[in-house]
Amino acid sequence: MMKRFFAVLIMIVMCVACAACNQTEQAQQGANIEANQSGQEKVLNMALFSPARNIEPTEGWNGWNLTRCGIGENLVQIDENLEFKPVIAESWEQIDDTTIVFNIRQDVKFHNGHPVDAKACKESIERALKISNREDVKFSVQSIMAEGQKLTIKTSKPCATLINNLADPVYIIVDTSAAEWEEFKLKPICTGAFKVVEFTPDVGLTLHKHQQHWSGEIGPDVVNVKFIQDASARTMALQSGEIDLATQIGAKDLTLFENNDEFTVLKGPNLRIFLVRLNMEKPYMKSQAFRQALSYGMDKETYAKELVSGIPAKGPFNDLLSFSYKGEDYYAYNPDKAKELLDKAGFIDTNGDGIREIDGKNIVLKLVSGKNHGDDAKNIGIAMQSQYKEIGIGVDVLQVENSTDVSKAGDFDLLWERWTSAPTADPQYFLEASYKTGSAGNYGKYSNSTLDALCVQLDSAFEKQERDELGIKGAELLMKDVASLFVYYQQGTVVTRKNVEGVYRFISEIYYIDDRVKIQ
């Protein structure tokens, strides 16, 4: 009887607490909206899932945080429909295979008020080419000439992806006269709708609107950006009113917002591919039959649909892209076929412990993911561990703080990775950066002379149809050779409060807000 009394009492207390909590949240949200309507400062609070130590755009993928927050702008960008959009350059013309002329807008100003002309753009691009560690988006230059608002870039050899490369955040236009300052990595001077007032590494940013932005009046006065890696934490921050905008909300949590009149949900496939990279320096990985067995041994259809609410992947490029592989998947789940291949290739369990061997040692694969990859990577790893055990392959599932160090050291058999496969709407970037022999992102040391030759062909292929055909060939080659295990494509999500307008779901995910965002 006493236990029942306490149980009832606890339920009453919890209900009262929840009601009070809801009233507090509603009051706070109402206060925020009233403040905005009363002419006070309009503040937008948003979350990013990728923390950074600095925001120097030429370093790695730091520039993505600048474009996602409307801080940095390029000559050209890829818009929400995967089309080229004029930004700092109001127009451009391809003169020949090596020459493009850009016309720079007359009214663009840096965040410090300095005017932007062709000379400023030339110096910014030259700086990126000189100091960036992103070799995958660099191009060889014969000359860059600036005359007033006319910028002419001439490459030393045909470069079919010049416009695509210039749309990468590495080539955000910055004021190079300010770039020598010690604090530039924390407060880069760009041209976007919002300028950096304060940056705290791995914590977030405070932004103010750029009063002299070329597009006209900007909506929010202040944007507070918080780095929140965990998807569940982003969900709670939205629910509590701590933030007004977040992306990549977990599939299960998304239902909390889809049927809620206080929120707007944008969702659909994006360009992110989740894959398991194979370490080709391991003796068993050199066997194509072994790699095929790994593909036959994993039920990625179930992983995608049941574990992560994604789309099962056939190759690196999803169906949104004109260069995606449209045929049937290679080596779809078939554990009996996996066993047959392993037996024929000589990977046998000789001592009856359930694990196959090579040179007398059990084959136990080390599957590594980063903690920032979250529960999805961990859960799929556990599912793979279980299914691979059925075909006689052992798996150790590890999540580490810094998977980059592990990647560079080659201390893995299987490596969990996520890539935006075509951020500038072209196949060459991913094929070269991730699988070309010796490329920086090719942590598995994959090498295929046919793929390398295809990448060379892409260098001089200017017609879209030809580039698409080469992209399809490259994708199929990687699938057929089992260069990696392509697991699933992500469903992109953007969730905002109803009082936030002018937000679009960019398929590339290079952008989240821009000069069009408003808060009522």
Side-chain angles (χ1 to χ4, degrees), residues 265-277:
V265 175
L266 305 175
K267 69 176 183 177
N270 60 23
L271 301 184
R272 187 156 291 196
I273 173 70
F274 287 74
L275 60 92
V276 176
R277 188 176 295 277

Side-chain angles (χ1 to χ4, degrees), residues 1 9 26 54 108 138 202 217 223 241 253 274 285 305 307 328 371 420 462-463 479 513:
M1 186 72 180
L9 180 61
Q26 291 169 4
N54 71 70
V108 181
K138 287 188 177 181
D202 296 331
E217 181 64 23
V223 177
D253 288 344
F274 287 74
M285 293 298 185
K305 293 179 178 178
L307 296 182
E328 292 298 316
K371 288 192 175 178
T420 299
F462 281 82
E463 295 299 323
M479 296 165 61
I513 63 170

